[in-house]
């Protein structure tokens, strides 16, 4: 093979590699941008039919009615007939930690041990994950990168989904600790029925002991460094959330009662399948709920067939702060987050309130509401433009998306394949 042919082969290989690579992260916003005429869904339950949205330097400088007389400057985008939304926020996911579930070498979501709060998910986050890349075309622009496994599985962080590396991606570092509460009943396969968990109280005792030892460690004057205990200190100081994964009525009450007794300040319930049975208890203790995905079936035969569909509405109607998540499902299904909210709207919840479950409410629960989650002057210009209703999979077609004002790519390996094969069929 002569040198010319070798160069051609090399170029071909490089082009093939680049066509499958992660899209290059967008550069910082260089000029002011104006979006005019679109229907703006603010993420806080409010809507502006004929909106004017302006942002510069990655920050929203005006959000209001297009009839307002105010100078427009910079690049103008005609939003007539389209819709603008704040970027959707996906809590409690192992995005960027697991690429292919069947390939062990691509899984970095779990570590050895039952009590490992010092394991930081952020430093293992893969910003070039193709799964992460596939979130953006549906409007999911931020996520809580969360470790899995064990009783206390580690420390999560919140990232934006268009970055060169984990340092660039970080929005809020080490925001919380994740506790998986034991079940009082376990499924017995041989009997095809749920049986009491004989070790339930013993498992609770271990959790209680670990929390108490962590608190004592923080109160000690002089001590040798103990990484797991040290990682728990933010829970007692109020700088971190404790995310408690529990579904049963008994488990929810037991977990929150213990956490409150040990002076853990900020508690978030994750899952909460039977939370509708204890809404007064949750409201009294000011516990927000990151409720499970709506696209699922009832767990028990005697439950309403539509319980998973309407659960977020039941909790919202009870006056709780409610967000949506799908931690029990595979990572790629995180892109369906807006359609879970659409399902709740189909159960009677006002559509703008349903939208807040994955925007403003999730931002409040995760502690990033001062910057993200809603379209408000002074907040981050993290938003997208859709041709239709973003909570409807038939019409959620993004034309533009911005993270901190950066005009990000909506291309992914999936959109590349779609265009490739659509071209084939159209040409035929």
């Amino acid at each position: 093979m002569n040198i010319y042919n070798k160069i051609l082969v090399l170029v071909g290989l490089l082009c093939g590699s680049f066509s499958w690579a992660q899209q290059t992260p967008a550069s910082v916003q260089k000029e002011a941008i104006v979006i005019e005429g679109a229907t703006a869904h603010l993420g806080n339950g409010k809507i502006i039919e004929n909106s004017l949205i302006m942002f510069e330097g990655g920050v929203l400088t005006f959000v209001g009615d297009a009839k307002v007389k105010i100078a427009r400057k910079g690049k103008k985008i005609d939003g007539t007939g389209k819709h603008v939304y704040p970027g959707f926020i996906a809590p409690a996911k192992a995005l960027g930690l697991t690429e292919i579930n069947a390939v062990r070498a691509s899984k970095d979501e779990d570590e050895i041990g039952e009590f490992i709060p010092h394991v930081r998910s952020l430093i293992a986050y893969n910003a070039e994950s193709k799964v992460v890349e596939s979130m953006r075309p549906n409007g999911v622009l931020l996520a809580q990168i969360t470790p899995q496994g064990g009783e206390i599985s580690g420390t999560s962080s919140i990232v934006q989904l268009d970055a060169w590396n984990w340092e660039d991606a970080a929005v809020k570092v080490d925001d919380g600790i994740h506790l998986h509460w034991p079940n009082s009943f376990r499924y017995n396969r041989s009997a095809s029925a749920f049986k009491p968990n004989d070790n339930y109280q013993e498992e609770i005792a271990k959790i209680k002991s670990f929390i108490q030892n962590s608190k004592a460690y923080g109160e000690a004057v002089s001590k040798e460094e103990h990484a797991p205990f040290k990682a728990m200190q933010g829970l007692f100081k109020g700088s971190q959330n404790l995310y408690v994964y529990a579904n049963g009525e008994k488990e929810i009450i037991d977990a929150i009662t213990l956490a409150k007794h040990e002076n853990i300040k900020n508690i978030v319930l994750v899952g909460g399948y039977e939370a509708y049975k204890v809404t007064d208890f949750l409201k009294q203790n000011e516990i927000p709920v990151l409720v499970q995905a709506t696209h699922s079936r009832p767990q028990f035969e005697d439950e309403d067939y539509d319980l998973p569909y309407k659960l977020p509405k039941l909790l919202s109607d009870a006056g709780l702060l409610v967000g949506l998540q799908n931690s029990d499902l595979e990572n790629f299904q995180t892109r369906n987050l807006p359609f879970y909210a659409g399902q709740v709207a189909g159960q009677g919840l006002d559509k703008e309130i349903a939208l807040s479950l994955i925007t403003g409410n999730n931002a409040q629960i995760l502690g990033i509401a001062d910057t993200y989650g809603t379209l408000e002057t002074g907040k981050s210009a993290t938003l997208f433009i859709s041709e239709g209703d973003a909570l409807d999979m038939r019409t959620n077609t993004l034309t533009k998306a911005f993270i901190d004002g950066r005009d990000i790519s909506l291309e992914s390996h999936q959109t590349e394949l779609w265009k490739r094969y659509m071209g084939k069929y159209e040409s035929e």
Side-chain angles (χ1 to χ4, degrees):
M1 182 183 293
N2 59 39
I3 186 65
Y4 178 74
N5 287 336
K6 289 180 179 179
I7 291 173
L8 285 179
V9 170
L10 179 60
V11 170
L13 289 172
L14 289 173
C15 289
S17 298
F18 291 152
S19 68
W20 288 97
Q22 165 84 352
Q23 292 295 319
T24 301
S27 57
V28 296
Q29 184 181 0
K30 295 182 175 62
E31 63 175 330
I33 294 177
V34 177
I35 305 171
E36 188 166 0
T39 299
H41 304 263
L42 305 187
N44 57 6
K46 299 178 181 178
I47 188 171
I48 302 175
E49 295 288 352
N50 179 26
S51 70
L52 174 64
I53 296 174
M54 300 190 293
F55 52 96
E56 188 173 5
V59 177
L60 291 164
T61 55
F62 183 83
V63 177
D65 196 296
K67 295 177 183 177
V68 174
K69 293 183 179 180
I70 186 173
R72 278 80 157 159
K73 69 173 183 177
K75 179 181 178 181
K76 293 181 174 60
I77 299 175
D78 183 7
T80 304
K82 296 180 180 179
H83 300 258
V84 179
Y85 295 86
F88 299 149
I89 304 168
K93 294 303 300 183
L95 287 172
L97 303 181
T98 295
E99 194 70 4
I100 304 171
N101 284 286
V103 179
R104 180 66 186 89
S106 76
K107 298 178 69 174
D108 203 9
E109 63 181 30
D110 192 8
E111 297 289 344
I112 297 172
E114 291 300 311
F115 298 99
I116 48 175
H118 57 298
V119 172
R120 303 175 65 223
S121 61
L122 182 61
I123 60 174
Y125 176 67
N126 175 21
E128 296 192 358
S129 163
K130 288 184 172 61
V131 179
V132 168
E133 178 185 70
S134 70
M135 299 296 112
R136 301 194 298 257
N138 273 8
V140 179
L141 305 184
L142 297 115
Q144 183 190 42
I145 304 308
T146 306
Q148 308 292 323
E151 305 251 349
I152 296 180
S153 53
T155 303
S156 59
S157 291
I158 300 162
V159 301
Q160 52 86 4
L161 303 184
D162 180 66
W164 287 101
N165 49 50
W166 65 263
E167 291 97 333
D168 294 339
V171 167
K172 187 174 183 180
V173 176
D174 299 338
D175 74 287
I177 305 293
H178 294 256
L179 167 61
H180 295 263
W181 196 258
N183 293 317
S184 59
F185 279 78
R186 288 179 175 170
Y187 188 73
N188 188 309
R189 295 196 178 194
S190 60
S192 298
F194 283 93
K195 300 290 185 181
N197 176 11
D198 296 333
N199 298 321
Y200 181 64
Q201 292 302 326
E202 180 182 340
E203 291 169 357
I204 291 177
K206 290 180 181 178
I207 294 172
K208 182 177 181 179
S209 175
F210 183 82
I211 292 175
Q212 290 179 337
N213 287 336
S214 298
K215 185 165 61 172
Y217 173 87
E219 295 170 350
V221 176
S222 61
K223 49 187 174 283
E224 293 184 8
E225 183 166 317
H226 187 284
F229 292 164
K230 184 179 180 180
M232 295 281 285
Q233 299 312 305
L235 299 180
F236 309 113
K237 296 175 182 177
S239 61
Q240 290 179 304
N241 290 342
L242 176 65
Y243 296 91
V244 178
Y245 294 69
N247 285 303
E249 179 180 2
K250 177 176 175 55
E251 287 82 353
I252 292 170
I253 293 174
D254 288 347
I256 292 169
T257 300
L258 173 60
K260 283 287 183 178
H261 183 266
E262 299 303 332
N263 296 320
I264 293 176
K265 301 185 183 302
N266 303 317
I267 306 165
V268 177
L269 176 62
V270 183
Y273 185 77
E274 292 188 341
Y276 69 98
K277 297 181 178 180
V278 291
T279 53
D280 289 342
F281 171 80
L282 295 171
K283 194 171 182 179
Q284 179 184 350
N285 287 284
E286 300 180 330
I287 307 296
V289 183
L290 287 171
V291 74
Q292 66 175 33
T294 55
H295 291 178
S296 55
R297 296 175 297 177
Q299 293 184 3
F300 303 103
E301 293 180 355
D302 58 347
E303 292 175 335
D304 291 350
Y305 75 92
D306 57 353
L307 178 58
Y309 307 156
K310 65 185 181 182
L311 180 56
K313 183 180 187 303
L314 295 175
L315 301 180
S316 296
D317 289 349
L320 298 175
L321 177 60
V322 181
L324 275 177
Q325 53 82 25
N326 66 341
S327 60
D328 290 339
L329 302 179
E330 304 294 350
N331 273 341
F332 72 88
Q333 296 189 54
T334 309
R335 73 189 71 155
N336 292 328
L337 190 66
F339 312 135
Y340 304 143
Q343 178 75 60
V344 184
Q347 297 297 310
L349 191 66
D350 179 84
K351 180 157 279 189
E352 298 309 311
I353 300 299
L355 171 67
S356 70
L357 301 182
I358 57 174
T359 53
N361 287 14
N362 273 353
Q364 286 186 60
I365 293 170
L366 299 182
I368 57 172
D370 58 337
T371 307
Y372 298 96
T374 56
L375 300 178
E376 297 179 69
T377 301
K379 289 193 175 184
S380 168
T382 298
L383 52 92
F384 65 88
I385 304 172
S386 175
E387 292 183 355
D389 181 357
L391 304 190
D392 186 341
M393 66 179 66
R394 298 168 298 180
T395 58
N396 185 21
T397 303
L398 273 63
T399 57
K400 279 284 185 182
F402 302 88
I403 294 179
D404 298 327
R406 298 179 298 110
D407 188 354
I408 68 170
S409 172
L410 292 173
E411 293 296 320
S412 69
H413 63 292
Q414 294 174 332
T415 59
E416 289 178 4
L417 287 173
W418 171 70
K419 290 176 181 178
R420 175 183 174 188
Y421 284 99
M422 282 304 294
K424 172 183 183 297
Y425 293 123
E426 287 173 355
S427 64
E428 292 177 351

